[in-house]
Amino acid sequence: MTQVYDEEPTSGFVSPDDILKADRFTDFSTVSSRGYSLLTRAKRHGRWWMLKGLKEQYRQDTVFRALLQKEYEITSQLQHPMVVSVFSLEEVGELGLCIVMEWVDGITLKEWLTQGKHTKKQRRHVADMLLDALAYVHSRQTQHRDLKPSNIMLTHDGQHLKLIDFGLSDTESHAILKAPVGTEGYMAPDGPSDIYSLGCILRELHLGRSSCMVVRKCCAPLRCRYTDIPVIQRDLHRCWLWPRRLLLIIGLVIVLASIFLLNLTHTQGEIRTVNDSLKVFKEENKAKILSEQEKTDSLQLQMNQIADQRESEKMAIQRRQDYINEAKRKIDQQMQAYGIQQMMDTVRCQRNITIPFLRIADELIRDTKDPELIEYIQEHYRKPWLRRMSELPFD
């Protein structure tokens, strides 16, 4: 007896019909239709995709199909977080040949700029992301050639950026479709230039007055324009840091000035203290000098008095000497008037003859009160007479 089991789906297996059905795109919705391109959002494998195809009137045109093929070849070589990812080029039902790329859930930079007031920090963050994306694209020898706010996607919070729409991009390896293209207002007068377009976008971002020099150089004539994105990044960062550095320098100057003023105040206080000390020292020295001067004057006065006294004594001595000399002269004259010396030398008389002469000498001594004159008379007259008398013979 054959047992019959109820048919149930086999676990772990998916039927081929389910696989084919899952590979199909569903839930189509047109996102944009401009130029020759048609952008459609569709769902496959449970996620949303962006399909870039051609409008119906261009789908069989070989030139536009070649443009789509070129865009796919260029974009598929770019693998960067801030460049839209391209996965395949395939025929999609009624849409025809389409580029299958990631769906970016956000808004264009053009819409973001019109949403309201954004901080300078947010704008500079967007500029940084755009510069990073463009630097990578250029490092792959690729030119976007249609850089503008509507070809830049931002997430709703403004924290992530995607560079999109490489329909007019070009590389050195491609030799077809080289015509100069771009969007008016973002295309340089001398031809397509990503750096010129970047300068226009940076101007719209209003990054601050310090960034104006970099923006002007981006939009300058070809001979004066930047040629390298990293140089633009470096100059922008320097411009952004300069106000902070200036504030830091000003703050440092203020701190140093404060320290200097404090030191100056302290120094001035010390100077005043030193000046006061010097003033007291000068006053004390002045008093000492005055005291010493008084002492010196007193000593000088004493010395002058001593000198005057010595001079007076000298004059007194001189007067006395003159007096003694004059008195001696008078005594000598008086004695000579008596002829005593001649008589003493020539007399041969008796001893009693000399006695009157002794009396004369004694009278002179008695009349003279000065000891010096008395001694003079004794030495010059009386003693010689006494010696003479001792020599005379006795009768």
Side-chain angles (χ1 to χ4, degrees), residues 85-109:
S85 298
V86 171
F87 297 94
S88 62
L89 179 67
E90 55 187 90
E91 294 285 345
V92 180
E94 297 179 354
L95 297 179
L97 186 64
C98 291
I99 299 175
V100 179
M101 62 184 77
E102 67 173 320
W103 163 256
V104 180
D105 186 17
I107 56 176
T108 65
L109 178 59

Short mmCIF file of all heavy atoms in Angstrom, two decimals, residues 85-109:
data_model
loop_
_atom_site.label_atom_id
_atom_site.label_comp_id
_atom_site.label_asym_id
_atom_site.label_seq_id
_atom_site.Cartn_x
_atom_site.Cartn_y
_atom_site.Cartn_z
N SER A 85 27.76 54.82 -6.50
CA SER A 85 28.22 53.49 -6.93
C SER A 85 27.39 52.99 -8.11
O SER A 85 26.15 53.08 -8.10
CB SER A 85 28.12 52.50 -5.77
OG SER A 85 28.94 52.90 -4.70
N VAL A 86 28.05 52.47 -9.13
CA VAL A 86 27.41 51.91 -10.32
C VAL A 86 27.66 50.39 -10.32
O VAL A 86 28.79 49.95 -10.10
CB VAL A 86 27.97 52.57 -11.59
CG1 VAL A 86 27.47 51.83 -12.83
CG2 VAL A 86 27.55 54.04 -11.64
N PHE A 87 26.58 49.62 -10.58
CA PHE A 87 26.70 48.17 -10.47
C PHE A 87 26.67 47.46 -11.82
O PHE A 87 27.36 46.47 -12.02
CB PHE A 87 25.59 47.62 -9.57
CG PHE A 87 25.70 48.12 -8.16
CD1 PHE A 87 24.98 49.23 -7.75
CD2 PHE A 87 26.53 47.49 -7.25
CE1 PHE A 87 25.09 49.70 -6.44
CE2 PHE A 87 26.64 47.94 -5.94
CZ PHE A 87 25.91 49.06 -5.54
N SER A 88 25.85 47.96 -12.76
CA SER A 88 25.74 47.23 -14.04
C SER A 88 25.13 48.12 -15.11
O SER A 88 24.59 49.20 -14.81
CB SER A 88 24.89 45.97 -13.86
OG SER A 88 23.57 46.35 -13.47
N LEU A 89 25.26 47.65 -16.34
CA LEU A 89 24.60 48.27 -17.50
C LEU A 89 23.78 47.15 -18.15
O LEU A 89 24.33 46.17 -18.64
CB LEU A 89 25.64 48.82 -18.48
CG LEU A 89 25.10 49.47 -19.74
CD1 LEU A 89 24.35 50.76 -19.40
CD2 LEU A 89 26.24 49.78 -20.72
N GLU A 90 22.46 47.30 -18.12
CA GLU A 90 21.61 46.20 -18.61
C GLU A 90 20.31 46.75 -19.21
O GLU A 90 19.94 47.90 -18.97
CB GLU A 90 21.31 45.24 -17.45
CG GLU A 90 20.70 45.92 -16.23
CD GLU A 90 20.57 44.96 -15.06
OE1 GLU A 90 21.52 44.87 -14.25
OE2 GLU A 90 19.50 44.32 -14.97
N GLU A 91 19.69 45.86 -19.99
CA GLU A 91 18.39 46.18 -20.56
C GLU A 91 17.31 45.94 -19.50
O GLU A 91 17.25 44.87 -18.90
CB GLU A 91 18.12 45.30 -21.78
CG GLU A 91 19.07 45.56 -22.96
CD GLU A 91 18.74 46.85 -23.71
OE1 GLU A 91 17.62 47.38 -23.50
OE2 GLU A 91 19.60 47.32 -24.47
N VAL A 92 16.49 46.95 -19.30
CA VAL A 92 15.44 46.85 -18.28
C VAL A 92 14.09 47.08 -18.93
O VAL A 92 13.69 48.23 -19.19
CB VAL A 92 15.65 47.89 -17.16
CG1 VAL A 92 14.54 47.76 -16.12
CG2 VAL A 92 17.02 47.71 -16.52
N GLY A 93 13.40 45.97 -19.28
CA GLY A 93 12.04 46.02 -19.78
C GLY A 93 11.77 47.15 -20.75
O GLY A 93 12.47 47.34 -21.75
N GLU A 94 10.76 47.93 -20.42
CA GLU A 94 10.35 49.02 -21.30
C GLU A 94 11.32 50.21 -21.27
O GLU A 94 11.26 51.07 -22.13
CB GLU A 94 8.95 49.50 -20.89
CG GLU A 94 7.87 48.43 -21.04
CD GLU A 94 6.51 48.94 -20.59
OE1 GLU A 94 6.46 50.08 -20.05
OE2 GLU A 94 5.52 48.22 -20.76
N LEU A 95 12.21 50.27 -20.28
CA LEU A 95 13.14 51.41 -20.16
C LEU A 95 14.34 51.27 -21.08
O LEU A 95 15.06 52.25 -21.32
CB LEU A 95 13.63 51.55 -18.71
CG LEU A 95 12.55 51.88 -17.66
CD1 LEU A 95 13.18 51.95 -16.27
CD2 LEU A 95 11.86 53.20 -18.01
N GLY A 96 14.57 50.08 -21.60
CA GLY A 96 15.70 49.86 -22.49
C GLY A 96 17.01 49.79 -21.73
O GLY A 96 17.07 49.37 -20.57
N LEU A 97 18.10 50.27 -22.36
CA LEU A 97 19.43 50.20 -21.77
C LEU A 97 19.52 51.18 -20.60
O LEU A 97 19.25 52.37 -20.74
CB LEU A 97 20.50 50.55 -22.82
CG LEU A 97 21.95 50.37 -22.38
CD1 LEU A 97 22.26 48.91 -22.08
CD2 LEU A 97 22.90 50.90 -23.46
N CYS A 98 19.89 50.64 -19.45
CA CYS A 98 19.95 51.48 -18.23
C CYS A 98 21.23 51.19 -17.44
O CYS A 98 21.73 50.06 -17.41
CB CYS A 98 18.75 51.20 -17.33
SG CYS A 98 17.18 51.77 -17.99
N ILE A 99 21.71 52.22 -16.78
CA ILE A 99 22.80 52.07 -15.80
C ILE A 99 22.14 51.83 -14.44
O ILE A 99 21.30 52.62 -14.00
CB ILE A 99 23.69 53.32 -15.73
CG1 ILE A 99 24.35 53.60 -17.08
CG2 ILE A 99 24.74 53.16 -14.64
CD1 ILE A 99 25.15 54.90 -17.12
N VAL A 100 22.51 50.74 -13.79
CA VAL A 100 21.96 50.41 -12.48
C VAL A 100 22.93 50.94 -11.43
O VAL A 100 24.09 50.52 -11.37
CB VAL A 100 21.75 48.90 -12.32
CG1 VAL A 100 21.18 48.59 -10.94
CG2 VAL A 100 20.84 48.36 -13.43
N MET A 101 22.45 51.86 -10.63
CA MET A 101 23.31 52.47 -9.60
C MET A 101 22.56 52.54 -8.27
O MET A 101 21.36 52.30 -8.20
CB MET A 101 23.76 53.86 -10.04
CG MET A 101 22.61 54.85 -10.25
SD MET A 101 23.19 56.44 -10.89
CE MET A 101 23.45 56.04 -12.62
N GLU A 102 23.31 52.85 -7.23
CA GLU A 102 22.71 52.90 -5.90
C GLU A 102 21.71 54.05 -5.80
O GLU A 102 21.82 55.06 -6.48
CB GLU A 102 23.79 53.08 -4.83
CG GLU A 102 24.51 54.40 -4.88
CD GLU A 102 25.46 54.60 -3.70
OE1 GLU A 102 25.08 54.23 -2.57
OE2 GLU A 102 26.56 55.15 -3.91
N TRP A 103 20.73 53.83 -4.95
CA TRP A 103 19.74 54.87 -4.67
C TRP A 103 20.24 55.70 -3.48
O TRP A 103 20.55 55.17 -2.41
CB TRP A 103 18.38 54.23 -4.34
CG TRP A 103 17.43 55.18 -3.65
CD1 TRP A 103 17.10 55.20 -2.35
CD2 TRP A 103 16.68 56.22 -4.27
NE1 TRP A 103 16.20 56.19 -2.07
CE2 TRP A 103 15.92 56.84 -3.27
CE3 TRP A 103 16.58 56.69 -5.59
CZ2 TRP A 103 15.07 57.90 -3.51
CZ3 TRP A 103 15.73 57.74 -5.84
CH2 TRP A 103 14.98 58.35 -4.80
N VAL A 104 20.36 57.00 -3.67
CA VAL A 104 20.82 57.89 -2.61
C VAL A 104 19.59 58.55 -2.00
O VAL A 104 18.90 59.32 -2.67
CB VAL A 104 21.80 58.95 -3.16
CG1 VAL A 104 22.26 59.86 -2.03
CG2 VAL A 104 22.98 58.27 -3.84
N ASP A 105 19.36 58.26 -0.73
CA ASP A 105 18.20 58.83 -0.05
C ASP A 105 18.61 60.18 0.54
O ASP A 105 19.17 60.27 1.62
CB ASP A 105 17.73 57.88 1.05
CG ASP A 105 16.43 58.37 1.70
OD1 ASP A 105 15.76 59.22 1.09
OD2 ASP A 105 16.12 57.90 2.81
N GLY A 106 18.33 61.22 -0.22
CA GLY A 106 18.70 62.55 0.25
C GLY A 106 18.20 63.62 -0.70
O GLY A 106 17.26 63.41 -1.47
N ILE A 107 18.85 64.78 -0.62
CA ILE A 107 18.47 65.91 -1.47
C ILE A 107 19.73 66.45 -2.14
O ILE A 107 20.86 66.16 -1.72
CB ILE A 107 17.81 67.03 -0.63
CG1 ILE A 107 18.76 67.48 0.51
CG2 ILE A 107 16.48 66.57 -0.07
CD1 ILE A 107 18.24 68.64 1.32
N THR A 108 19.52 67.23 -3.18
CA THR A 108 20.67 67.83 -3.86
C THR A 108 21.21 68.98 -3.03
O THR A 108 20.53 69.55 -2.18
CB THR A 108 20.28 68.33 -5.26
OG1 THR A 108 19.33 69.40 -5.11
CG2 THR A 108 19.69 67.21 -6.10
N LEU A 109 22.46 69.33 -3.32
CA LEU A 109 23.07 70.47 -2.62
C LEU A 109 22.30 71.76 -2.91
O LEU A 109 22.18 72.62 -2.02
CB LEU A 109 24.54 70.62 -3.07
CG LEU A 109 25.32 71.79 -2.48
CD1 LEU A 109 25.36 71.70 -0.95
CD2 LEU A 109 26.73 71.84 -3.06
#
